[in-house]
Amino acid sequence: MRSQSLLLGNLDALKRHCRGTADWLHSQPINPALVLNALIRNRWGLLDWPLASGKGMFEPAPPIHFYQNWPVKQDEKPTATIIIGCNLGYGLNHLLANIPNTDKVFVVEPRAEMMIACLGLNDYRPFLSTQKLFFLPPDETQISHTIFSELDLYFEFGRILMRGDLPSQQLGPDYARWCQKCEEILDDFRLDMNTIRGLQNLMIQNELNNFHRALEDGSIKLLENQAKGLTAVLLGAGPSLEQFAPIIASHHGDALLISALQSLPALHKYGLRPHLCMAIDPTPGIKKVFDGLEPDWVKDIPLIYACKVLPEVVNAYPGPTLPMWTQEGLGPTIWKGKEPVLNDGGNVAVALTRFLIWCGVSKIVLVGQDFAWCGEKVHASGTEEKKTRFRPDPKKIKVLKNKEGKNIHSHATYITALRALERTIQTLDIPVYNLYGGFAAIQGAREVTWDEILSRNILKSYEGSRDHFLCKLNEARAPIPPPAVNLHNPDWWASLAAVKKKIEKFSKKPGKKQQEIYSTLNRLLNILNRNPLYRPYLLNEIFATAGILFASREIGWKDFTFFKKILTRAQRKAREIDRNLASLPVKIHQKAALD
């Protein structure tokens, strides 16, 4: 009876705080009463789960043997722990009893019956209600969303640990498999934190500096679902491009050829001219591509550029240009659904794939998308990068096997992009083919040879579909009115000024004012988050302020120099946004407001 009461209470708490997990459990054909009645007592006198042998999973040793080292030595670093496998709650309970309130625990349990057993033996409602504990289903999307939304402060100001439950791994290989999947999601998260966060200021600055040109260049809005019946060939610059480029150049038929801007020099070498290209890299490194570009060859190739790309790159491109707004920048707030805002995935191959799907293509063929290399050659000949001798770095280079069992090399950035592409492909209802060149396999894409492409007529498009799409592409290159943006924010500026005044006052004698200081910093955090127009540009200031509150330490007079810098940067960035958006012609502003 007590087990039933605990289970119902926990399930009710899951509905309120971990809805996705509650829905997953509800969808499973599990009888809770049968699960709880299946429990046995082991030789230690403890409740246990029976294995196929009839013995309990803790028969070899009592739980403390496995979990005594799970809690880390308590220090000033808050810790987030991801557990794969909950068994009956022995490891989870030991961890919850020995960690401070600043720590969080995330439990991924692949088997519904094990989660039911755990929830029926322990009361987790207090931990769920305070969001100290999260139960997650075996779903990559939900796990990824939770990690990306909950662990950013732990990454920057604390630590993240993953614990695979050894006793649970006796039940089957799914536990080891989910350990690997969670580690891959963490790798994606770490890369995102190390790159996107660091580039946030640059991306927004580029968007502001490109803003006027983007309005003049047009909109991709006209291209949505305009590629129906069209086969798209997505050209990369991996080593295998060298073996396929010459034959594709002369046998691509009526397929649409599309590539990254960085791939153009390599494609030029083989006479393989794409119908359009794309750039999403916001860093100055992309400017190197112009060292290997011949203006006459690219002048008729349209460039779709993410608005976060450096203005110098857009201005230097000799061909037609068309802007694309992306999710991590100002686009969602500025346009409010009136213009397309795409998720580029942080990788141009992923961005191209998602763009093609949004355009409505019927098939995609991947060529030169290798995500790996062997020997010293990382890219096909002709790319802008200098040839360098391969020197393995164990921290960055990973040795993989291709499908023939041959060693190939890859990089954490490539592997993360490959997984993002695979996840995208898994959601599609159109065929995706990979012209396999001996490097990384792409899950979800059907591996084909060139002979199979010819014999099965894979590159065939519906008659006139490519001409129709390119015609729409040309029509899209017409000026559009700017968004109607409210730049009158006196309350926001007044609130920020009031906080600044308080911080200056507290800086003189902070020792006895800790509670008031933290209250003021919380107010500052709310102000920085309040204005959706400013928020993307203030992300680093928001993060820095949240980190101070997260650390929960005593604030000293030296900290106030840092607080003042945060306020100064926030004011400067907000004025920069206002200045760029307010400089639009008044007549165009009025037209946008009427629309």
Side-chain angles (χ1 to χ4, degrees):
M1 184 65 68
R2 174 170 165 75
S3 294
Q4 189 72 12
S5 175
L6 286 172
L7 177 61
L8 292 176
N10 284 325
L11 290 176
D12 183 63
L14 283 179
K15 289 178 183 177
R16 284 182 278 118
H17 304 292
C18 300
R19 184 73 200 194
T21 307
D23 292 342
W24 172 70
L25 280 175
H26 182 72
S27 69
Q28 302 300 303
I30 301 293
N31 186 326
L34 293 178
V35 169
L36 296 170
N37 288 335
L39 301 179
I40 61 173
R41 293 274 176 186
N42 59 28
R43 66 186 177 114
W44 314 105
L46 301 173
L47 280 174
D48 210 337
W49 183 263
L51 301 173
S53 63
K55 295 183 178 181
M57 63 166 63
F58 289 99
E59 196 71 25
I64 193 63
H65 174 80
F66 300 98
Y67 308 120
Q68 57 185 345
N69 294 324
W70 272 22
V72 295
K73 182 181 178 181
Q74 292 186 13
D75 52 23
E76 291 186 355
K77 278 190 172 184
T79 302
T81 304
I82 301 171
I83 298 174
I84 315 300
C86 61
N87 62 72
L88 302 187
Y90 288 118
L92 173 58
N93 295 345
H94 181 67
L95 191 61
L96 291 172
N98 290 280
I99 57 174
N101 290 331
T102 54
D103 291 10
K104 289 188 178 183
V105 181
F106 302 81
V107 179
V108 177
E109 175 50 63
R111 300 191 177 198
E113 65 271 22
M114 295 309 304
M115 191 178 289
I116 291 291
C118 181
L119 296 174
L121 297 175
N122 310 278
D123 186 4
Y124 293 119
R125 289 174 296 177
F127 304 104
L128 291 166
S129 63
T130 56
Q131 294 193 311
K132 184 183 177 73
L133 173 64
F134 297 78
F135 281 93
L136 300 171
D139 180 277
E140 289 186 59
T141 301
Q142 288 196 45
I143 295 170
S144 180
H145 174 76
T146 302
I147 286 176
F148 274 75
S149 61
E150 296 288 340
L151 297 189
D152 51 358
L153 292 174
Y154 287 94
F155 174 84
E156 189 71 24
F157 305 105
R159 64 168 69 88
I160 301 171
L161 302 175
M162 195 173 82
R163 307 292 195 188
D165 186 62
L166 287 176
S168 293
Q169 291 182 19
Q170 300 174 89
L171 296 172
D174 43 345
Y175 288 89
R177 185 165 59 248
W178 277 101
C179 281
Q180 181 180 349
K181 288 184 179 181
C182 288
E183 190 59 58
E184 290 174 354
I185 293 171
L186 278 175
D187 285 343
D188 296 350
F189 170 71
R190 294 183 188 107
L191 181 66
D192 182 80
M193 292 294 293
N194 285 324
T195 54
I196 301 301
R197 295 281 193 197
L199 295 174
Q200 188 71 17
N201 286 343
L202 178 60
M203 290 190 293
I204 303 299
Q205 286 170 358
N206 291 345
E207 286 190 332
L208 290 172
N209 292 330
N210 281 322
F211 190 73
H212 290 264
R213 166 145 189 175
L215 296 177
E216 290 296 319
D217 278 350
S219 166
I220 63 171
K221 189 174 184 178
L222 281 179
L223 300 180
E224 185 174 10
N225 291 323
Q226 294 302 311
K228 293 186 179 298
L230 186 57
T231 297
V233 178
L234 203 168
L235 299 163
S240 70
L241 178 67
E242 295 187 10
Q243 60 178 300
F244 297 126
I247 50 178
I248 291 176
S250 56
H251 293 87
H252 60 77
D254 49 10
L256 179 79
L257 304 183
I258 186 169
S259 77
L261 171 64
Q262 298 96 311
S263 300
L264 291 184
L267 298 176
H268 182 206
K269 178 179 177 180
Y270 301 103
L272 186 54
R273 188 198 303 268
H275 295 98
L276 67 153
C277 64
M278 178 181 287
I280 67 167
D281 186 351
T283 66
I286 195 174
K287 292 191 290 186
K288 295 178 183 178
V289 71
F290 294 109
D291 296 339
L293 276 185
E294 290 191 16
D296 287 343
W297 189 77
V298 300
K299 67 180 181 180
D300 296 323
I301 303 174
L303 167 68
I304 295 177
Y305 65 93
C307 294
K308 63 183 178 180
V309 169
L310 278 171
E312 301 96 295
V313 172
V314 183
N315 294 335
Y317 188 74
T321 53
L322 188 64
M324 176 180 74
W325 293 91
T326 52
Q327 283 186 357
E328 68 273 18
L330 297 171
T333 304
I334 286 179
W335 291 108
K336 299 177 182 177
K338 292 185 177 180
E339 281 293 319
V341 179
L342 301 186
N343 179 1
D344 64 21
N347 174 268
V348 70
V350 176
L352 285 166
T353 302
R354 291 175 177 173
F355 170 74
L356 290 170
I357 297 305
W358 180 80
C359 291
V361 298
S362 296
K363 285 178 288 186
I364 295 176
V365 180
L366 305 174
V367 179
Q369 303 292 343
D370 296 323
F371 299 97
W373 68 91
C374 59
E376 300 177 9
K377 206 165 197 176
V378 178
H379 297 96
S381 299
T383 54
E384 79 280 6
E385 296 187 17
K386 295 179 180 178
K387 295 178 181 178
T388 57
R389 184 172 179 79
F390 173 60
R391 295 183 178 89
D393 180 350
K395 294 181 180 179
K396 297 181 179 180
I397 305 298
K398 295 189 178 182
V399 179
L400 309 175
K401 299 278 188 185
N402 65 9
K403 70 174 189 175
E404 291 83 19
K406 181 181 176 181
N407 281 350
I408 55 175
H409 301 101
S410 192
H411 188 279
T413 305
Y414 286 6
I415 294 171
T416 298
L418 172 61
R419 287 197 294 261
L421 179 61
E422 289 173 339
R423 287 195 293 270
T424 299
I425 291 173
Q426 288 170 6
T427 66
L428 306 182
D429 56 2
I430 65 168
V432 177
Y433 301 93
N434 180 27
L435 187 53
Y436 181 69
F439 296 94
I442 301 175
Q443 293 184 22
R446 308 173 194 179
E447 291 181 1
V448 290
T449 64
W450 179 248
D451 288 340
E452 288 174 315
I453 285 180
L454 290 179
S455 64
R456 294 162 59 183
N457 212 14
I458 289 174
L459 297 184
K460 180 67 177 175
S461 296
Y462 290 168
E463 186 176 352
S465 58
R466 187 177 68 190
D467 289 341
H468 171 78
F469 179 77
L470 293 177
C471 180
K472 288 294 181 181
L473 180 65
N474 188 55
E475 289 179 22
R477 295 180 52 248
I480 63 170
V485 181
N486 180 18
L487 298 176
H488 188 62
N489 299 293
D491 292 342
W492 189 88
W493 285 102
S495 298
L496 199 65
V499 166
K500 186 176 183 179
K501 187 175 180 180
K502 276 196 169 187
I503 285 176
E504 288 174 346
K505 176 183 175 182
F506 292 142
S507 65
K508 298 172 183 177
K509 291 183 180 180
K512 297 180 180 180
K513 302 284 186 179
Q514 292 297 306
Q515 187 172 351
E516 292 179 70
I517 291 170
Y518 268 91
S519 176
T520 302
L521 290 176
N522 267 307
R523 188 181 175 196
L524 173 59
L525 183 61
N526 289 332
I527 293 169
L528 295 178
N529 269 305
R530 185 190 306 166
N531 191 312
L533 179 61
Y534 298 154
R535 191 181 185 282
Y537 204 9
L538 300 182
L539 191 60
N540 287 333
E541 286 66 40
I542 291 169
F543 201 57
T545 306
I548 296 164
L549 295 167
F550 183 70
S552 301
R553 60 175 176 80
E554 183 172 335
I555 304 296
W557 65 270
K558 291 182 178 179
D559 293 310
F560 285 89
T561 301
F562 181 61
F563 301 155
K564 291 174 183 177
K565 286 181 179 178
I566 290 175
L567 284 161
T568 301
R569 289 199 305 267
Q571 290 174 318
R572 175 182 58 78
K573 289 180 174 182
R575 289 192 184 102
E576 186 179 350
I577 289 177
D578 287 353
R579 185 172 61 252
N580 275 273
L581 300 186
S583 63
L584 296 169
V586 175
K587 289 183 180 179
I588 300 182
H589 265 299
Q590 292 173 345
K591 184 180 186 303
L594 291 173
D595 290 344

